[in-house]
Each structure stands twice: as C-alpha cells, then as structure tokens.
Amino acid sequence: MEIHQLRTLVVVAREGSITRASEQLFLSQPAVSAHIKAIEDSLGVPIFARTPRGMEITPAGERLLQRAHEVMAAHQTLMSEASRIRGQLIGQLRLGASGDTNTSRVGELVKSVTEHFPELDVSLRYSTQVQQDIRHGLLDAGFYNETGNREPGFSALEVEDFSIYLVASSGLLEKPEVLDWKALEAFTWVLPDARTCCGRTAEALFEAHGIRPRKIISVDRERHTRALIASGVGIGLLHGESTRLGQQAGELDLLCPATESAKVLFTWLASRDQDPLVAAVVSLLRSQLLA
C-alpha cells in the first residue's frame, strides 16, 4: 500500500464520488478506482459501498479512514525531519488556494518559492475547502478567504482584506438603493459553492433576512459570476474590485455591502509551526507582504 493510495482514499471519502475525486487529484477515474481496489484488496476490508448516489464509506471504512489520516500525518513528519537533518529543503510542497483568491498573490509566492528553493517540487491546487484539505494531509498550506471565525488548530498570516457586495444587473431593480428583501427571493441569484467566502456570506444574508431564493445558479469562479450578472441573469455577490469594475463598465448596480469584513489568509496546521518547509514558505510570504 502506497501513501498516494491513502491520499486517494481520503479524497474519495470526502467527495463521495470517483469523478470528483479524480478531478481533485488530477488522476483518471480508472486510476482512482484502482487505488481504492488496491487498498481494499490489501486490507481485506470493504471500505466503500458503490451506490447510485456515489461512494458511501462503510463503518469499517470510517475506522480505517481515521488511521489513514494518522499515517499521512506521520509521513509528513518523517519527511520534515529528513529535511531538518539534511539542512536543506527538498521534496514536495503542496499549496492550495480557494478559487476566488487573489491569483497575483498566489503566483508571487509560488515564483518566490521556486527561486529560493529550486530543489522543491511545488504543486498548486484550487479547492473550495483549503483548511479541510490541510487538516487531512492533502495540502501543506494554502490561501483561503475568511468571513467568520477561524478554525482551531490552525496558524494563519493575514495577506489582505477586501469587501463583498450584493450587486444586480444594471437596471434590473427600479430603485436599487431601496431593498425589499422578500422581493429579492423572486430573482435568480448567481452564487459560488456554499463552502466559499461568498457562499457563506450569502447564507448569512439569507438567514439574517429570512429569505431563500427560488432559483440559484452555481458558479465556480468570480469572473463567471460577474459575467452572468452583467448579462442580466439576476443578482449575486462579488468582491470589491469586481464590483468597482462592473460599475465603471455600466454593467452592475451596487445594492448593499454584504459583510463587514473579509480577509485573505495564508494558513497551515499550528502543529507544523516549526516545520522547516512551512516555516520557510511563511518567511518568504512575510517578506513579500513587508516589501
């Protein structure tokens, strides 16, 4: 049994789908299925039940999944200790970023890491659940957008702050400055996954105003959200810069601020504060923020 097969097990358990897991892992669906079969054959235990709804983890699989997390964490500790002994950084750095994170910040860090540590193999994966992927050992660290309380067990470095606004297609509302929240239920809302910062902010708005839109179009990138809203589809949430550009182009009406504050954070497990790999990357990012 290989460590990459355990990583596949964790992702399939999280996604409940071979298709989605293959997209997350950048593997073919047959390769993901082969990893799961190899683990089940090796252990002699059925880990998943194949159902019309997808891959459902069995009770035995739940117990083994926890052990898989422990093995992956131990593997990372072993690799970190080897780096400490060698006195240099080699191996793999797995960075993550949520789909609506400032891509220039992500690019600057990846460029700096590759320049300072040429022996490191750096991978970057976009994810709607960066913290969960870090906790499960699928990522070493990553960028994500935060609008609420931080999860325990993580350290974080604030990269920047930003605003989120509720916007509509230009001219869609007769008086966009006067909001009837119950009337907004009738419009189509364009929103990202509920696990993203804008998705969580939207859910908070719905709860605060006691509404639930009749129709929601799900998108995975902010540029798509802006394009759909600008085309006249309906209303939705955008970051401050996208809102500003949309207003300047005459495409959007700003309805109201959607949250008091939102931040881009770079985060990692607090238990890895002294890890040479994580410490080196955090040091590089701090230098960039101070420049």
Side-chain angles (χ1 to χ4, degrees):
M1 188 187 312
E2 304 290 339
I3 193 72
H4 64 272
Q5 293 172 336
L6 288 180
R7 188 172 293 115
T8 299
L9 184 157
V10 170
V11 175
V12 172
R14 186 190 69 203
E15 297 296 329
S17 162
I18 292 289
T19 301
R20 290 195 297 272
S22 68
E23 293 170 353
Q24 293 285 326
L25 293 164
F26 301 104
L27 295 172
S28 68
Q29 293 182 36
V32 171
S33 296
H35 286 184
I36 297 302
K37 184 177 186 304
I39 294 174
E40 291 182 325
D41 288 348
S42 174
L43 298 177
V45 174
I47 298 175
F48 293 100
R50 282 72 171 171
T51 75
R53 295 184 300 278
M55 301 289 281
E56 293 186 1
I57 194 162
T58 64
E62 286 281 6
R63 294 172 60 183
L64 293 172
L65 179 63
Q66 180 58 41
R67 298 302 182 190
H69 288 155
E70 294 171 1
V71 170
M72 290 176 65
H75 176 263
Q76 183 56 56
T77 300
L78 174 66
M79 299 303 292
S80 298
E81 185 62 23
S83 293
R84 218 178 259 112
I85 293 169
R86 288 190 302 265
Q88 59 179 324
L89 290 180
I90 65 174
Q92 185 179 34
L93 172 65
R94 300 159 303 162
L95 294 176
S98 58
D100 45 7
T101 299
N102 184 330
T103 54
S104 64
R105 282 291 186 194
V106 178
E108 288 168 6
L109 179 61
V110 171
K111 180 175 182 290
S112 183
V113 169
T114 56
E115 289 175 347
H116 283 81
F117 307 110
E119 299 299 319
L120 271 181
D121 291 327
V122 181
S123 64
L124 173 65
R125 181 162 67 85
Y126 285 90
S127 170
T128 58
Q129 42 197 355
V130 169
Q131 285 187 296
Q132 185 173 336
D133 287 348
I134 293 172
R135 191 183 294 280
H136 289 168
L138 302 175
L139 296 172
D140 297 301
F143 295 87
Y144 80 105
N145 297 334
E146 179 193 70
T147 57
N149 297 325
R150 301 180 188 179
E151 284 192 35
F154 286 86
S155 296
L157 183 63
E158 185 175 328
V159 176
E160 61 188 32
D161 55 22
F162 61 97
S163 301
I164 300 175
Y165 295 96
L166 178 63
V167 301
S169 311
S170 181
L172 183 67
L173 277 67
E174 185 176 347
K175 293 183 178 180
E177 68 279 5
V178 180
L179 293 184
D180 178 348
W181 286 93
K182 291 300 291 184
L184 293 184
E185 282 185 314
F187 289 96
T188 297
W189 286 61
V190 184
L191 297 172
D193 189 287
R195 294 170 293 187
T196 66
C197 70
C198 284
R200 293 192 300 271
T201 299
E203 289 298 324
L205 282 178
F206 299 156
E207 183 176 351
H209 295 282
I211 66 170
R212 175 59 55 181
R214 297 173 190 171
K215 184 175 182 180
I216 294 176
I217 295 177
S218 179
V219 293
D220 62 355
R221 290 291 187 274
E222 185 170 66
R223 66 178 181 273
H224 299 151
T225 303
R226 177 185 161 189
L228 285 171
I229 296 173
S231 71
V233 167
I235 63 180
L237 300 182
L238 289 176
H239 292 184
E241 181 64 10
S242 293
T243 300
R244 182 183 66 81
L245 293 173
Q247 285 184 292
Q248 286 181 348
E251 302 170 344
L252 305 174
D253 288 333
L254 191 158
L255 304 184
C256 69
T259 186
E260 292 183 2
S261 67
K263 303 179 187 300
V264 178
L265 299 180
F266 184 74
T267 189
W268 61 95
L269 286 176
S271 60
R272 297 186 65 185
D273 283 345
Q274 304 306 314
D275 185 310
L277 182 64
V278 171
V281 176
V282 171
S283 178
L284 282 178
L285 182 56
R286 280 203 175 98
S287 298
Q288 290 179 352
L289 296 176
L290 293 173

